[in-house]
């Protein structure tokens, strides 16, 4: 027996395997009105993968915040807006969106209901920070700079991939490619750097047209996984930042059941088990839920990269380098977790500060106030690689459609 949430229901609906209930009409909500984008999904320029997870949700933020010129979408919205002549019009409205956004029960607080708890943003006003940023970004001269920044970002990704391969050859096979020797322990900081940089590239490729082959690099840091990040990161965290629906609030929820001193150990062992086998089982669950997304290509990229990460572990053990490999695993994992948690202040001790955020209706201002930029060396392009893409974190949150971290700088 599995639990699923259907639109229009306050509770999970139990269904026995083999006897599913009749499929309800797919719909999306924009500005409180129902839309049926079913015939547009496969023609979406950003790929179809953005629609399947958002069925039964209010996607107003995705419409206005994820496009540099939302005005170009007006003819599309007019075409797919449901009218009162449609027999399902009454059902496909805001009051029937998924109360839990289709997420597991543990991902939101008890009693959470998206229909009344989600902030209503002002996307109609032209005098907002969001519109001001979009007016700059869509200018032709700015777009030329963006294209060059994207090229440099992709080229840098290839260079880091080359460094990663060279380091792997030296560490796992004692094959020295460079004119100088990379010792076993010198490989450890190189691994940490490459994996942090991969986190940056994978982070932005997650936001690109799906499926982008580079999105699997998101897994290199051992903490998050790209198999769930398209929905959890791009469509939940960015849309519901700093709210009760933000998945980052429940990042460690399973660990709280352990005694305090055992939590770091438990979390580390959990991620080590996920590295070895857990994520492959997770992929089976995801592929069973997602039908319209190009799962064949996703599986190919994903399985190949995850297989490589597992092979590295076993090759390190075979080469007698278990300790240095687990050392880089531990440092990489916890550095990645530090980056994830440092990007936002999720637990305000100042209730007045937290309450002041609730009065903001400009989505752009809210993103800037709840996201933090990461500064380590002061050189933003290098910090971009060291921070999993967070050196221009505020710009990323207000312009999530940008294809690279360098473009945000």
């Amino acid at each position: 027996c599995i639990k699923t949430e259907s639109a229009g229901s306050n509770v999970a609906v139990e269904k026995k395997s083999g006897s599913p209930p009749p499929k309800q009409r797919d719909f999306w909500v924009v500005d409180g009105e129902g839309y049926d984008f079913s015939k547009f999904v496969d023609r979406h320029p950003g790929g179809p993968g953005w629609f399947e997870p958002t069925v039964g949700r209010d996607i107003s933020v995705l419409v206005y915040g994820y496009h540099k010129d939302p005005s170009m979408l007006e003819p599309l919205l007019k075409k797919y807006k449901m009218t009162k002549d449609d027999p399902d019009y009454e059902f496909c409205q805001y009051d029937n969106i998924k109360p839990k956004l289709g997420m597991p029960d543990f991902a939101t607080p008890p009693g959470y209901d998206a229909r009344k708890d989600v902030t209503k943003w002002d996307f109609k006003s032209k005098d907002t920070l969001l519109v001001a940023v979009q007016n700059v970004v869509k200018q032709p001269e700015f777009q030329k700079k963006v294209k060059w920044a994207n090229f440099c970002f992709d080229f840098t990704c290839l260079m880091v991939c080359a460094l990663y391969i060279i380091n792997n050859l030296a560490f796992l096979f004692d094959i020295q490619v460079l004119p100088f020797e990379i010792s076993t322990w010198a490989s450890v900081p190189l691994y940490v750097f490459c994996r942090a940089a991969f986190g940056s590239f994978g982070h932005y490729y997650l936001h690109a047209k799906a499926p982008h082959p580079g999105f699997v690099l998101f897994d290199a840091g051992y903490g998050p996984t790209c198999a769930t990040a398209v929905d959890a990161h791009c469509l939940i965290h960015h849309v519901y930042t700093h709210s009760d629906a933000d998945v980052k609030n429940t990042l460690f929820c399973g660990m709280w059941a352990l005694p305090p001193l055992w939590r770091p150990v438990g979390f580390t062992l959990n991620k080590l088990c996920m590295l070895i086998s857990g994520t492959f089982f997770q992929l089976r669950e995801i592929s069973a839920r997602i039908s319209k997304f190009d799962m064949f290509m996703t599986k190919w990229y994903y399985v190949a990269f995850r297989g490589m990460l597992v092979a590295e572990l076993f090759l390190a053990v075979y080469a007698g380098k278990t300790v240095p490999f687990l050392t880089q695993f531990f440092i990489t994992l916890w550095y990645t977790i530090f980056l994830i948690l440092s990007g936002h202040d999720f637990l305000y001790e100042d209730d007045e500060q937290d309450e002041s955020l609730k009065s903001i209706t400009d989505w752009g201002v809210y993103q800037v106030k709840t996201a933090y930029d990461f500064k380590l060396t002061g050189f933003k392009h290098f910090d971009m690689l060291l921070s999993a893409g967070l050196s221009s974190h505020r710009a990323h949150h207000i312009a999530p459609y940008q294809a690279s971290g360098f473009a945000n700088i």
Side-chain angles (χ1 to χ4, degrees), residues 343-390:
H344 300 272
D345 189 356
F346 292 100
L347 297 175
Y348 277 134
E349 294 183 2
D350 185 348
D351 291 337
E352 291 184 5
Q353 187 178 13
D354 200 22
E355 284 297 322
S356 69
L357 293 173
K358 296 180 180 180
S359 64
I360 298 174
T361 57
D362 183 337
W363 186 76
V365 170
Y366 187 86
Q367 297 305 309
V368 170
K369 283 184 173 290
T370 56
Y372 299 120
D373 293 339
F374 185 94
K375 182 179 179 181
L376 187 61
T377 68
F379 180 46
K380 289 186 177 181
H381 292 78
F382 190 61
D383 284 348
M384 181 68 62
L385 304 183
L386 295 175
S387 66
L390 303 183

Side-chain angles (χ1 to χ4, degrees), residues 6 13 66 163 172 188 210 231 261 327 355:
S6 60
V13 178
Y66 270 54
L163 176 61
L172 298 174
V188 171
D231 188 16
L261 294 179
T327 299
E355 284 297 322

Side-chain angles (χ1 to χ4, degrees), residues 56-96:
R57 292 183 192 167
D58 182 344
I59 62 169
S60 300
V61 170
L62 300 178
V63 170
Y64 295 106
Y66 270 54
H67 300 87
K68 61 179 176 285
D69 190 0
S71 63
M72 296 182 65
L73 304 179
E74 291 177 2
L76 183 74
L77 293 175
K78 183 177 181 180
K79 179 178 180 179
Y80 292 105
K81 183 177 180 179
M82 300 183 71
T83 65
K84 293 183 178 180
D85 295 333
D86 192 300
D88 294 318
Y89 175 80
E90 292 296 332
F91 172 75
C92 301
Q93 297 299 313
Y94 187 87
D95 288 342
N96 287 316

Side-chain angles (χ1 to χ4, degrees), residues 29-50:
V29 170
V30 180
D31 292 332
E33 300 286 344
Y35 290 79
D36 184 356
F37 295 113
S38 300
K39 295 181 179 179
F40 173 71
V41 168
D42 292 327
R43 294 186 286 118
H44 181 230
W50 299 95

Side-chain angles (χ1 to χ4, degrees), residues 90-234:
E90 292 296 332
F91 172 75
C92 301
Q93 297 299 313
Y94 187 87
D95 288 342
N96 287 316
I97 63 173
K98 295 176 180 177
K100 294 282 189 179
L101 303 171
M103 297 192 295
D105 287 340
F106 70 82
T108 54
Y112 178 84
D113 189 337
R115 295 171 295 187
K116 60 182 180 65
D117 295 331
V118 170
T119 303
K120 304 298 189 296
W121 304 108
D122 178 13
F123 290 118
K124 295 302 181 181
S125 174
K126 302 300 181 183
D127 187 24
T128 63
L129 179 61
L130 175 63
V131 172
V133 170
Q134 290 170 339
N135 287 338
V136 172
V137 171
K138 66 185 180 183
Q139 294 302 317
E141 287 301 315
F142 191 88
Q143 282 301 302
K144 288 181 182 179
K145 295 179 181 179
V146 165
K147 289 181 180 179
W148 171 246
N150 292 346
F151 171 80
C152 292
F153 188 76
D154 294 339
F155 181 78
T156 304
C157 180
L158 293 176
M159 294 299 98
V160 175
C161 286
L163 176 61
Y164 182 76
I165 293 171
I166 291 171
N167 191 51
N168 249 349
L169 290 173
F171 182 81
L172 298 174
F173 305 104
D174 293 322
I175 299 175
Q176 301 293 336
V177 177
L178 298 176
F180 54 88
E181 181 179 349
I182 303 177
S183 67
T184 296
W185 285 101
S187 291
V188 171
L190 284 176
Y191 268 129
V192 175
F193 167 75
C194 289
R195 296 189 193 284
F198 283 158
S200 176
F201 301 125
H203 185 175
Y204 282 92
Y205 293 147
L206 274 172
H207 289 264
K209 180 178 180 179
H212 190 293
F215 83 132
V216 297
L217 296 175
F218 196 64
D219 285 26
Y222 300 124
T225 168
C226 64
T228 57
V230 171
D231 188 16
H233 176 76
C234 301

Side-chain angles (χ1 to χ4, degrees), residues 272-398:
L272 184 60
C273 292
M274 286 291 290
L275 167 66
I276 297 172
S277 62
T279 337
F280 292 100
F281 292 103
Q282 188 179 50
L283 182 65
R284 288 185 60 189
E285 294 181 16
I286 295 166
S287 61
R289 292 203 318 264
I290 300 178
S291 57
K292 296 177 182 177
F293 188 70
D294 190 351
M295 283 306 300
F296 173 77
M297 295 303 295
T298 302
K299 285 180 180 179
W300 189 89
Y301 299 143
Y302 181 82
V303 172
F305 191 76
R306 295 297 305 192
M308 183 193 72
L309 294 179
V310 174
E312 288 173 351
L313 170 60
F314 287 102
L315 286 171
V317 173
Y318 179 78
K321 299 179 179 180
T322 305
V323 173
F325 186 86
L326 291 180
T327 299
Q328 70 84 32
F329 172 84
F330 182 85
I331 296 173
T332 299
L333 172 63
W334 284 99
Y335 181 62
T336 300
I337 298 304
F338 163 74
L339 293 175
I340 292 174
L341 296 180
S342 64
H344 300 272
D345 189 356
F346 292 100
L347 297 175
Y348 277 134
E349 294 183 2
D350 185 348
D351 291 337
E352 291 184 5
Q353 187 178 13
D354 200 22
E355 284 297 322
S356 69
L357 293 173
K358 296 180 180 180
S359 64
I360 298 174
T361 57
D362 183 337
W363 186 76
V365 170
Y366 187 86
Q367 297 305 309
V368 170
K369 283 184 173 290
T370 56
Y372 299 120
D373 293 339
F374 185 94
K375 182 179 179 181
L376 187 61
T377 68
F379 180 46
K380 289 186 177 181
H381 292 78
F382 190 61
D383 284 348
M384 181 68 62
L385 304 183
L386 295 175
S387 66
L390 303 183
S391 71
S392 56
H393 195 203
R394 287 184 169 99
H396 174 53
H397 262 264
I398 199 173

